[in-house]
Amino acid sequence: MNTHADRVAATFITALEGAAKRLRIAADDPALALGRRFGIGGYVARRRLPESRYRDEQLVRQLHERLMRDAAGAASTTLVDGGVPHFFARGAVLCGMLYQPGDRELVDLDLFVSPADAGRAQDLLTGLGYVALPSSEQCGPASLRSSVNLERRGGRSAFEAIAIDLHWGLEPVNRLLPRPGTTISTSVWDGLVSAGDLPAPSPAQHAALLAHHLVHHDLLHVRGMLDLALLRADVWTGDGDAYEVCARELGVLRAARALHRALVEQFGFEPIEGVSPPPATVRARRLNGVLQLERWFAGAGMAEDDEHARITPRRIGRRMLLLDHVSDARFLAADALFPPREHLRWRWPEHGSSAAAWRRHVRQLGGKLFAR
């Protein structure tokens, strides 16, 4: 029995219960309903329900996870044969390492390569049947992206379709809209480990990547916190210096330290040597309040499904608390008021000019600002 994992489950589910109560969720099991919304329904059900009540649902999730992990293994083999260094992160790795089959939703496979190898990697994946989704289904225009969403259609049903998010960098968190520029450092590539049959970052560096993902999604990707807590319970037991260095390179050092503090204060873990405490400032205290699990989960439960990809007052407010440097708020304001022309043309291709698209953007932004 992993007592650390049991403590994580108890803490996390108690917070879900409190959040579901705040949200007044009408369901037989409100905490389970909220867990399903966050993509961890299997994990919550296994901890709360008799097996007979969730077995069929769990079997479907297990089958889908098996298909996804088999696809990750095949893609990795092809890239190795093609001489392309790569690694997987987040769900593709963690589902087979920290969770029991079917516990965690696995929507796509996060695959990382270097910028120099991105074209070669996409060609190799094309040979496996993956095609890039249309531009409108990407996260932004090609000139501003550091990833491409690929899909291999299912043979007999959509259930068998496999999605890969091919990254050659990470979006900077001091922007609200996609930008290229944040590459994966050499130290991450040099420290890769084997997670089953897949290459993955070392635990400390994986934790920093999870912190980046939480910031990039403005704390709306709640299962990322469960990922981080289970990583800490199982394999992340040291290398605090590596965690800090990687987080600093990704622009999320402040948030990474605050998340580490949440692991210590709310989940009861021992501090990891080398991770510094957050500074005692007003902004740090506000962030600590936002990261109180019950309050955090209730806020995420109120958000619309696509809020992490839209410019809204709540999203801007959360991001300002998470930034390493408060002066970077000017970049958030620039994205909110004056998005790049490439983005405007991609977002509203039906408009004949960038000026017309910008006016549409401003009207929409104004509607959001004055709707509350």
Side-chain angles (χ1 to χ4, degrees):
M1 177 181 295
N2 187 333
T3 55
H4 293 307
D6 290 339
R7 186 172 66 224
V8 167
T11 302
F12 200 88
I13 291 174
T14 297
L16 283 178
E17 291 170 343
K21 186 175 181 179
R22 289 191 183 203
L23 295 170
R24 300 181 180 179
I25 293 177
D28 291 339
D29 188 331
L32 177 57
L34 191 57
R36 284 174 172 150
R37 177 170 182 188
F38 293 152
I40 48 170
Y43 178 85
V44 177
R46 182 168 59 80
R47 296 278 180 169
R48 293 173 69 85
L49 299 179
E51 184 179 355
S52 59
R53 288 187 56 189
Y54 73 92
R55 184 173 180 274
D56 291 345
E57 181 182 350
Q58 195 83 337
L59 286 174
V60 172
R61 284 193 295 262
Q62 289 172 7
L63 175 57
H64 183 255
E65 182 181 316
R66 184 69 265 169
L67 291 171
M68 294 285 281
R69 286 186 51 78
D70 286 348
S76 184
T77 298
T78 296
L79 292 173
V80 168
D81 292 344
V84 176
H86 64 282
F87 67 85
F88 290 86
R90 300 194 285 270
V93 172
L94 303 180
C95 279
M97 181 173 67
L98 305 179
Y99 294 92
Q100 291 193 22
D103 274 2
R104 184 192 188 280
E105 184 177 278
L106 186 54
V107 177
D108 54 25
L109 304 170
D110 287 295
L111 172 61
F112 290 80
V113 298
S114 72
D117 288 324
R120 172 67 173 156
Q122 186 167 346
D123 288 343
L124 290 168
L125 293 171
T126 298
L128 292 177
Y130 293 92
V131 297
L133 295 178
S135 177
S136 60
E137 297 181 43
Q138 301 290 343
C139 65
S143 60
L144 299 180
R145 295 197 314 262
S146 53
S147 66
V148 61
N149 296 318
L150 309 169
E151 185 178 73
R152 188 184 72 196
R153 297 188 180 279
R156 288 169 292 182
S157 70
F159 179 80
E160 298 176 75
I162 305 294
I164 290 181
D165 198 356
L166 177 63
H167 302 264
W168 52 91
L170 290 169
E171 294 176 12
V173 296
N174 61 357
R175 293 288 189 174
L176 296 171
L177 299 173
R179 293 292 198 292
T182 304
T183 57
I184 303 298
S185 72
T186 302
S187 64
V188 175
W189 289 102
D190 290 343
L192 294 182
V193 298
S194 177
D197 58 348
L198 300 176
S202 72
Q205 292 166 329
H206 206 161
L209 287 168
L210 290 172
H212 177 278
H213 196 60
L214 281 164
V215 174
H216 177 242
H217 284 269
D218 302 291
L219 303 179
L220 298 176
H221 197 273
V222 163
R223 64 178 176 268
M225 187 62 201
L226 182 57
D227 292 343
L228 189 62
L230 290 175
L231 192 75
R232 176 69 185 88
D234 195 302
V235 295
W236 181 29
T237 57
D239 291 333
D241 291 339
Y243 176 68
E244 288 229 337
V245 168
C246 188
R248 182 181 290 107
E249 291 170 343
L250 297 174
V252 295
L253 180 59
R254 187 169 175 279
R257 287 172 172 171
L259 289 165
H260 174 262
R261 179 172 59 186
L263 291 173
V264 173
E265 294 181 351
Q266 299 187 66
F267 288 94
F269 288 108
E270 290 294 321
I272 289 182
E273 186 177 354
V275 181
S276 299
T281 64
V282 172
R283 196 162 66 104
R285 288 195 294 272
R286 289 184 60 194
L287 177 56
N288 190 48
V290 169
L291 292 180
Q292 296 301 306
L293 297 180
E294 181 180 314
R295 177 182 173 187
W296 175 359
F297 297 171
M302 288 189 298
E304 297 181 28
D305 290 342
D306 64 344
E307 186 167 319
H308 69 279
R310 296 188 295 118
I311 297 176
T312 66
R314 281 191 307 208
R315 185 181 171 211
I316 294 171
R318 283 192 298 268
R319 186 66 67 88
M320 288 181 67
L321 286 178
L322 293 162
L323 290 173
D324 273 3
H325 307 290
V326 71
S327 60
D328 281 355
R330 68 187 189 277
F331 297 123
L332 306 184
D335 271 4
L337 297 174
F338 302 103
R341 291 181 179 180
E342 300 96 322
H343 175 83
L344 291 170
R345 290 196 294 267
W346 168 81
R347 180 67 179 82
W348 288 289
E350 67 274 18
H351 288 289
S353 68
S354 297
W358 179 77
R359 288 192 292 270
R360 170 87 173 268
H361 168 81
V362 170
R363 287 196 301 270
Q364 189 175 86
L365 179 65
K368 294 172 187 173
L369 291 174
F370 295 108
R372 301 181 186 282

